[in-house]
Each structure stands twice: as C-alpha cells, then as structure tokens.
Amino acid sequence: MMSKTVWAGKFLTVQTEGTWEFAARQGEIAAAVIVAIDDGDVILVEQFRVPLGRACLELPAGLVGDETSGESVAVAAGRELEEETGYRADAIEDLGVFYSSPGMTSECFTLVRATGLTKVSDGGGDGDENITVHRVPLADVPAFVAEKRAAGVAIDTKMLLILAVSIL
C-alpha cells in the first residue's frame, strides 16, 4: 500500500496509509539530539515550544541539513550544541538512530555524545529561539526535572535517558 500526502509544508508532511495517519519529515532533513556531559554535569536547554504552548526542558538538539545540503550529523550536532548552549565539543560520537514516536510519526533522530566541552559563548540559540541553558549535576536531575514540572515546564521524552542515567 502506498502513502497518500494529505498536506505538505516546508519541513513536514501529513500522510495516510490505510487507516493510519502520520507525520513525516519532508525531504532529506534529519535531526540530532546531543548528550553533553561535562565534569558530571549534563547540559540541558529550555525553550518555548509552539505545539505545547509552553516551555519544554530538553537535551540540546537540532536539524541536520536544514541550512547546508549534505551536512553530516556530527557537524550539525556541533553547530547546534554551540548555538544553543554556548559549548563547543572536541568530539561528537554517533550513538545510533532512534524513532521518536513511531505510532504517530516517521521522524527519527541520531543520538550523539559530545565530549571535551569548552564554554565559548552564552548560547541561547539563534534569532527568536530564546533558549535558557541549564548545567545540572547528574545526581540532581530527578529533583531538577520535578521542580521544572511543578513550575509548568513540559519535559521532553528524551529526558528519560538522562533520568535513567541519574538514578541507576
């Protein structure tokens, strides 16, 4: 059975196939999610997310190939880490491809580990992103997440990775 495009935007399409309805990335755009841990602290970002209507606590992340065709995941991850958090990494290690919500979207991301971090700017994103950077000791992540949740901040599902590391 072939998918039918119901709607297409610049970055996303809405597809149907049989009784399934799902979103898909448009073209060759991919995503990178960055685990950046420095001296026992994890680097997190908080930013307003339009679909949620509120701020969300997340791992740093960004699109691959949205600015430069053929961009590698490592280059994009390094660029996004520095842009969002102000940290530059000496090395970016590919940890594999993961699917964010396979019952609803074909979207996937490459998880990377950034090591050898050096603070080079305040970060905060580009243009109107208005990203808040948090440096949180791994042992304090569960309490930090609970505090943010109590304050009405959404928690991205990929934060489960850091929560698991901090409680194991």
Side-chain angles (χ1 to χ4, degrees), residues 13-40:
T13 64
V14 175
Q15 308 276 324
T16 60
E17 186 170 325
T19 60
W20 284 91
E21 299 174 338
F22 59 95
R25 280 272 181 219
Q26 179 82 295
E28 300 298 315
I29 303 297
V33 175
I34 305 139
V35 176
I37 298 176
D38 187 46
D39 289 333

PDB file of all heavy atoms in Angstrom, residues 13-40:
ATOM      1  N   THR A  13       5.196  16.604   6.299  1.00  0.00           N
ATOM      2  CA  THR A  13       4.016  16.220   5.527  1.00  0.00           C
ATOM      3  C   THR A  13       3.103  15.435   6.457  1.00  0.00           C
ATOM      4  O   THR A  13       3.558  14.852   7.450  1.00  0.00           O
ATOM      5  CB  THR A  13       4.361  15.327   4.309  1.00  0.00           C
ATOM      6  OG1 THR A  13       4.902  14.091   4.760  1.00  0.00           O
ATOM      7  CG2 THR A  13       5.336  16.009   3.373  1.00  0.00           C
ATOM      8  N   VAL A  14       1.811  15.449   6.133  1.00  0.00           N
ATOM      9  CA  VAL A  14       0.857  14.580   6.813  1.00  0.00           C
ATOM     10  C   VAL A  14       0.453  13.535   5.789  1.00  0.00           C
ATOM     11  O   VAL A  14       0.074  13.864   4.667  1.00  0.00           O
ATOM     12  CB  VAL A  14      -0.367  15.365   7.334  1.00  0.00           C
ATOM     13  CG1 VAL A  14      -1.403  14.418   7.919  1.00  0.00           C
ATOM     14  CG2 VAL A  14       0.074  16.386   8.381  1.00  0.00           C
ATOM     15  N   GLN A  15       0.582  12.276   6.171  1.00  0.00           N
ATOM     16  CA  GLN A  15       0.352  11.150   5.271  1.00  0.00           C
ATOM     17  C   GLN A  15      -0.782  10.269   5.782  1.00  0.00           C
ATOM     18  O   GLN A  15      -1.039  10.239   6.993  1.00  0.00           O
ATOM     19  CB  GLN A  15       1.617  10.277   5.191  1.00  0.00           C
ATOM     20  CG  GLN A  15       2.901  10.996   4.862  1.00  0.00           C
ATOM     21  CD  GLN A  15       3.074  11.191   3.385  1.00  0.00           C
ATOM     22  OE1 GLN A  15       2.700  10.344   2.600  1.00  0.00           O
ATOM     23  NE2 GLN A  15       3.635  12.321   3.002  1.00  0.00           N
ATOM     24  N   THR A  16      -1.409   9.560   4.860  1.00  0.00           N
ATOM     25  CA  THR A  16      -2.342   8.489   5.238  1.00  0.00           C
ATOM     26  C   THR A  16      -1.925   7.232   4.491  1.00  0.00           C
ATOM     27  O   THR A  16      -1.418   7.295   3.370  1.00  0.00           O
ATOM     28  CB  THR A  16      -3.814   8.826   4.889  1.00  0.00           C
ATOM     29  OG1 THR A  16      -3.928   9.025   3.485  1.00  0.00           O
ATOM     30  CG2 THR A  16      -4.300  10.039   5.640  1.00  0.00           C
ATOM     31  N   GLU A  17      -2.079   6.129   5.152  1.00  0.00           N
ATOM     32  CA  GLU A  17      -1.849   4.822   4.533  1.00  0.00           C
ATOM     33  C   GLU A  17      -2.825   3.853   5.191  1.00  0.00           C
ATOM     34  O   GLU A  17      -2.686   3.547   6.382  1.00  0.00           O
ATOM     35  CB  GLU A  17      -0.409   4.358   4.724  1.00  0.00           C
ATOM     36  CG  GLU A  17      -0.115   3.077   3.973  1.00  0.00           C
ATOM     37  CD  GLU A  17       1.364   2.713   3.951  1.00  0.00           C
ATOM     38  OE1 GLU A  17       2.215   3.617   3.891  1.00  0.00           O
ATOM     39  OE2 GLU A  17       1.656   1.520   4.005  1.00  0.00           O
ATOM     40  N   GLY A  18      -3.822   3.431   4.439  1.00  0.00           N
ATOM     41  CA  GLY A  18      -4.884   2.629   5.031  1.00  0.00           C
ATOM     42  C   GLY A  18      -5.588   3.457   6.082  1.00  0.00           C
ATOM     43  O   GLY A  18      -6.001   4.583   5.830  1.00  0.00           O
ATOM     44  N   THR A  19      -5.681   2.932   7.305  1.00  0.00           N
ATOM     45  CA  THR A  19      -6.336   3.662   8.396  1.00  0.00           C
ATOM     46  C   THR A  19      -5.359   4.508   9.211  1.00  0.00           C
ATOM     47  O   THR A  19      -5.767   5.219  10.119  1.00  0.00           O
ATOM     48  CB  THR A  19      -7.054   2.678   9.346  1.00  0.00           C
ATOM     49  OG1 THR A  19      -6.077   1.777   9.895  1.00  0.00           O
ATOM     50  CG2 THR A  19      -8.144   1.911   8.619  1.00  0.00           C
ATOM     51  N   TRP A  20      -4.061   4.444   8.874  1.00  0.00           N
ATOM     52  CA  TRP A  20      -3.046   5.205   9.611  1.00  0.00           C
ATOM     53  C   TRP A  20      -2.971   6.638   9.109  1.00  0.00           C
ATOM     54  O   TRP A  20      -3.005   6.888   7.902  1.00  0.00           O
ATOM     55  CB  TRP A  20      -1.661   4.574   9.448  1.00  0.00           C
ATOM     56  CG  TRP A  20      -1.481   3.342  10.261  1.00  0.00           C
ATOM     57  CD1 TRP A  20      -1.732   2.060   9.863  1.00  0.00           C
ATOM     58  CD2 TRP A  20      -1.028   3.264  11.598  1.00  0.00           C
ATOM     59  NE1 TRP A  20      -1.462   1.189  10.878  1.00  0.00           N
ATOM     60  CE2 TRP A  20      -1.020   1.908  11.973  1.00  0.00           C
ATOM     61  CE3 TRP A  20      -0.630   4.209  12.532  1.00  0.00           C
ATOM     62  CZ2 TRP A  20      -0.632   1.477  13.227  1.00  0.00           C
ATOM     63  CZ3 TRP A  20      -0.235   3.776  13.785  1.00  0.00           C
ATOM     64  CH2 TRP A  20      -0.241   2.431  14.126  1.00  0.00           C
ATOM     65  N   GLU A  21      -2.809   7.577  10.040  1.00  0.00           N
ATOM     66  CA  GLU A  21      -2.488   8.973   9.746  1.00  0.00           C
ATOM     67  C   GLU A  21      -1.204   9.263  10.500  1.00  0.00           C
ATOM     68  O   GLU A  21      -1.083   8.933  11.675  1.00  0.00           O
ATOM     69  CB  GLU A  21      -3.580   9.914  10.257  1.00  0.00           C
ATOM     70  CG  GLU A  21      -4.931   9.687   9.640  1.00  0.00           C
ATOM     71  CD  GLU A  21      -6.015  10.546  10.289  1.00  0.00           C
ATOM     72  OE1 GLU A  21      -5.826  10.980  11.450  1.00  0.00           O
ATOM     73  OE2 GLU A  21      -7.019  10.772   9.636  1.00  0.00           O
ATOM     74  N   PHE A  22      -0.240   9.876   9.811  1.00  0.00           N
ATOM     75  CA  PHE A  22       1.028  10.149  10.475  1.00  0.00           C
ATOM     76  C   PHE A  22       1.742  11.330   9.837  1.00  0.00           C
ATOM     77  O   PHE A  22       1.465  11.708   8.712  1.00  0.00           O
ATOM     78  CB  PHE A  22       1.941   8.911  10.478  1.00  0.00           C
ATOM     79  CG  PHE A  22       2.282   8.386   9.109  1.00  0.00           C
ATOM     80  CD1 PHE A  22       3.456   8.765   8.474  1.00  0.00           C
ATOM     81  CD2 PHE A  22       1.433   7.498   8.453  1.00  0.00           C
ATOM     82  CE1 PHE A  22       3.770   8.271   7.219  1.00  0.00           C
ATOM     83  CE2 PHE A  22       1.750   6.994   7.206  1.00  0.00           C
ATOM     84  CZ  PHE A  22       2.922   7.386   6.578  1.00  0.00           C
ATOM     85  N   ALA A  23       2.667  11.905  10.591  1.00  0.00           N
ATOM     86  CA  ALA A  23       3.503  12.993  10.097  1.00  0.00           C
ATOM     87  C   ALA A  23       4.837  12.422   9.649  1.00  0.00           C
ATOM     88  O   ALA A  23       5.312  11.420  10.196  1.00  0.00           O
ATOM     89  CB  ALA A  23       3.727  14.028  11.200  1.00  0.00           C
ATOM     90  N   ALA A  24       5.428  13.056   8.658  1.00  0.00           N
ATOM     91  CA  ALA A  24       6.731  12.616   8.150  1.00  0.00           C
ATOM     92  C   ALA A  24       7.592  13.841   7.867  1.00  0.00           C
ATOM     93  O   ALA A  24       7.078  14.903   7.522  1.00  0.00           O
ATOM     94  CB  ALA A  24       6.556  11.791   6.874  1.00  0.00           C
ATOM     95  N   ARG A  25       8.896  13.685   8.011  1.00  0.00           N
ATOM     96  CA  ARG A  25       9.831  14.752   7.642  1.00  0.00           C
ATOM     97  C   ARG A  25       9.827  14.905   6.129  1.00  0.00           C
ATOM     98  O   ARG A  25       9.779  13.924   5.397  1.00  0.00           O
ATOM     99  CB  ARG A  25      11.250  14.423   8.103  1.00  0.00           C
ATOM    100  CG  ARG A  25      11.473  14.700   9.554  1.00  0.00           C
ATOM    101  CD  ARG A  25      11.920  16.121   9.760  1.00  0.00           C
ATOM    102  NE  ARG A  25      12.161  16.350  11.167  1.00  0.00           N
ATOM    103  CZ  ARG A  25      11.836  17.467  11.777  1.00  0.00           C
ATOM    104  NH1 ARG A  25      11.266  18.439  11.125  1.00  0.00           N
ATOM    105  NH2 ARG A  25      12.094  17.611  13.040  1.00  0.00           N
ATOM    106  N   GLN A  26       9.925  16.120   5.678  1.00  0.00           N
ATOM    107  CA  GLN A  26       9.946  16.442   4.254  1.00  0.00           C
ATOM    108  C   GLN A  26      11.395  16.430   3.755  1.00  0.00           C
ATOM    109  O   GLN A  26      12.269  17.021   4.388  1.00  0.00           O
ATOM    110  CB  GLN A  26       9.324  17.835   4.069  1.00  0.00           C
ATOM    111  CG  GLN A  26       9.268  18.346   2.667  1.00  0.00           C
ATOM    112  CD  GLN A  26       8.090  17.796   1.894  1.00  0.00           C
ATOM    113  OE1 GLN A  26       8.031  16.597   1.660  1.00  0.00           O
ATOM    114  NE2 GLN A  26       7.173  18.645   1.507  1.00  0.00           N
ATOM    115  N   GLY A  27      11.674  15.754   2.678  1.00  0.00           N
ATOM    116  CA  GLY A  27      12.995  15.777   2.059  1.00  0.00           C
ATOM    117  C   GLY A  27      14.053  15.041   2.863  1.00  0.00           C
ATOM    118  O   GLY A  27      13.786  14.038   3.510  1.00  0.00           O
ATOM    119  N   GLU A  28      15.249  15.581   2.823  1.00  0.00           N
ATOM    120  CA  GLU A  28      16.410  14.924   3.441  1.00  0.00           C
ATOM    121  C   GLU A  28      16.743  15.465   4.831  1.00  0.00           C
ATOM    122  O   GLU A  28      17.818  15.214   5.348  1.00  0.00           O
ATOM    123  CB  GLU A  28      17.637  15.103   2.526  1.00  0.00           C
ATOM    124  CG  GLU A  28      17.471  14.502   1.140  1.00  0.00           C
ATOM    125  CD  GLU A  28      17.269  12.994   1.185  1.00  0.00           C
ATOM    126  OE1 GLU A  28      17.996  12.316   1.924  1.00  0.00           O
ATOM    127  OE2 GLU A  28      16.351  12.509   0.481  1.00  0.00           O
ATOM    128  N   ILE A  29      15.835  16.225   5.431  1.00  0.00           N
ATOM    129  CA  ILE A  29      16.104  16.819   6.739  1.00  0.00           C
ATOM    130  C   ILE A  29      16.069  15.725   7.814  1.00  0.00           C
ATOM    131  O   ILE A  29      15.162  14.910   7.861  1.00  0.00           O
ATOM    132  CB  ILE A  29      15.062  17.910   7.074  1.00  0.00           C
ATOM    133  CG1 ILE A  29      15.041  18.994   5.996  1.00  0.00           C
ATOM    134  CG2 ILE A  29      15.333  18.519   8.441  1.00  0.00           C
ATOM    135  CD1 ILE A  29      16.316  19.760   5.840  1.00  0.00           C
ATOM    136  N   ALA A  30      17.076  15.729   8.665  1.00  0.00           N
ATOM    137  CA  ALA A  30      17.163  14.790   9.785  1.00  0.00           C
ATOM    138  C   ALA A  30      17.337  15.601  11.072  1.00  0.00           C
ATOM    139  O   ALA A  30      17.324  16.831  11.037  1.00  0.00           O
ATOM    140  CB  ALA A  30      18.334  13.836   9.573  1.00  0.00           C
ATOM    141  N   ALA A  31      17.512  14.935  12.186  1.00  0.00           N
ATOM    142  CA  ALA A  31      17.700  15.620  13.461  1.00  0.00           C
ATOM    143  C   ALA A  31      18.810  14.947  14.259  1.00  0.00           C
ATOM    144  O   ALA A  31      19.056  13.748  14.117  1.00  0.00           O
ATOM    145  CB  ALA A  31      16.401  15.612  14.263  1.00  0.00           C
ATOM    146  N   ALA A  32      19.461  15.749  15.085  1.00  0.00           N
ATOM    147  CA  ALA A  32      20.485  15.250  16.002  1.00  0.00           C
ATOM    148  C   ALA A  32      20.104  15.678  17.413  1.00  0.00           C
ATOM    149  O   ALA A  32      19.680  16.819  17.629  1.00  0.00           O
ATOM    150  CB  ALA A  32      21.857  15.818  15.643  1.00  0.00           C
ATOM    151  N   VAL A  33      20.228  14.760  18.361  1.00  0.00           N
ATOM    152  CA  VAL A  33      19.992  15.029  19.776  1.00  0.00           C
ATOM    153  C   VAL A  33      21.318  14.794  20.489  1.00  0.00           C
ATOM    154  O   VAL A  33      21.969  13.768  20.273  1.00  0.00           O
ATOM    155  CB  VAL A  33      18.879  14.125  20.343  1.00  0.00           C
ATOM    156  CG1 VAL A  33      18.731  14.326  21.844  1.00  0.00           C
ATOM    157  CG2 VAL A  33      17.567  14.389  19.619  1.00  0.00           C
ATOM    158  N   ILE A  34      21.691  15.735  21.339  1.00  0.00           N
ATOM    159  CA  ILE A  34      23.047  15.760  21.889  1.00  0.00           C
ATOM    160  C   ILE A  34      23.053  15.519  23.395  1.00  0.00           C
ATOM    161  O   ILE A  34      22.421  16.259  24.154  1.00  0.00           O
ATOM    162  CB  ILE A  34      23.709  17.122  21.588  1.00  0.00           C
ATOM    163  CG1 ILE A  34      23.651  17.398  20.083  1.00  0.00           C
ATOM    164  CG2 ILE A  34      25.132  17.162  22.115  1.00  0.00           C
ATOM    165  CD1 ILE A  34      23.320  18.822  19.736  1.00  0.00           C
ATOM    166  N   VAL A  35      23.772  14.483  23.822  1.00  0.00           N
ATOM    167  CA  VAL A  35      24.043  14.250  25.239  1.00  0.00           C
ATOM    168  C   VAL A  35      25.412  14.858  25.510  1.00  0.00           C
ATOM    169  O   VAL A  35      26.432  14.374  25.016  1.00  0.00           O
ATOM    170  CB  VAL A  35      24.052  12.743  25.583  1.00  0.00           C
ATOM    171  CG1 VAL A  35      24.440  12.534  27.038  1.00  0.00           C
ATOM    172  CG2 VAL A  35      22.702  12.120  25.288  1.00  0.00           C
ATOM    173  N   ALA A  36      25.398  15.957  26.254  1.00  0.00           N
ATOM    174  CA  ALA A  36      26.638  16.674  26.566  1.00  0.00           C
ATOM    175  C   ALA A  36      26.819  16.667  28.084  1.00  0.00           C
ATOM    176  O   ALA A  36      26.073  17.329  28.807  1.00  0.00           O
ATOM    177  CB  ALA A  36      26.569  18.105  26.036  1.00  0.00           C
ATOM    178  N   ILE A  37      27.791  15.901  28.543  1.00  0.00           N
ATOM    179  CA  ILE A  37      28.075  15.800  29.973  1.00  0.00           C
ATOM    180  C   ILE A  37      29.502  16.270  30.197  1.00  0.00           C
ATOM    181  O   ILE A  37      30.421  15.843  29.507  1.00  0.00           O
ATOM    182  CB  ILE A  37      27.862  14.357  30.487  1.00  0.00           C
ATOM    183  CG1 ILE A  37      26.393  13.961  30.289  1.00  0.00           C
ATOM    184  CG2 ILE A  37      28.270  14.245  31.955  1.00  0.00           C
ATOM    185  CD1 ILE A  37      26.065  12.535  30.663  1.00  0.00           C
ATOM    186  N   ASP A  38      29.653  17.179  31.151  1.00  0.00           N
ATOM    187  CA  ASP A  38      30.946  17.794  31.428  1.00  0.00           C
ATOM    188  C   ASP A  38      31.187  17.805  32.937  1.00  0.00           C
ATOM    189  O   ASP A  38      30.401  18.399  33.683  1.00  0.00           O
ATOM    190  CB  ASP A  38      30.957  19.222  30.858  1.00  0.00           C
ATOM    191  CG  ASP A  38      32.310  19.878  30.945  1.00  0.00           C
ATOM    192  OD1 ASP A  38      33.319  19.236  30.595  1.00  0.00           O
ATOM    193  OD2 ASP A  38      32.360  21.059  31.366  1.00  0.00           O
ATOM    194  N   ASP A  39      32.226  17.145  33.378  1.00  0.00           N
ATOM    195  CA  ASP A  39      32.562  17.082  34.810  1.00  0.00           C
ATOM    196  C   ASP A  39      31.367  16.670  35.671  1.00  0.00           C
ATOM    197  O   ASP A  39      31.111  17.251  36.724  1.00  0.00           O
ATOM    198  CB  ASP A  39      33.117  18.426  35.300  1.00  0.00           C
ATOM    199  CG  ASP A  39      34.505  18.723  34.769  1.00  0.00           C
ATOM    200  OD1 ASP A  39      35.253  17.763  34.478  1.00  0.00           O
ATOM    201  OD2 ASP A  39      34.845  19.914  34.627  1.00  0.00           O
ATOM    202  N   GLY A  40      30.601  15.683  35.204  1.00  0.00           N
ATOM    203  CA  GLY A  40      29.470  15.175  35.967  1.00  0.00           C
ATOM    204  C   GLY A  40      28.201  16.001  35.859  1.00  0.00           C
ATOM    205  O   GLY A  40      27.196  15.681  36.499  1.00  0.00           O
TER     206      GLY A  40
END
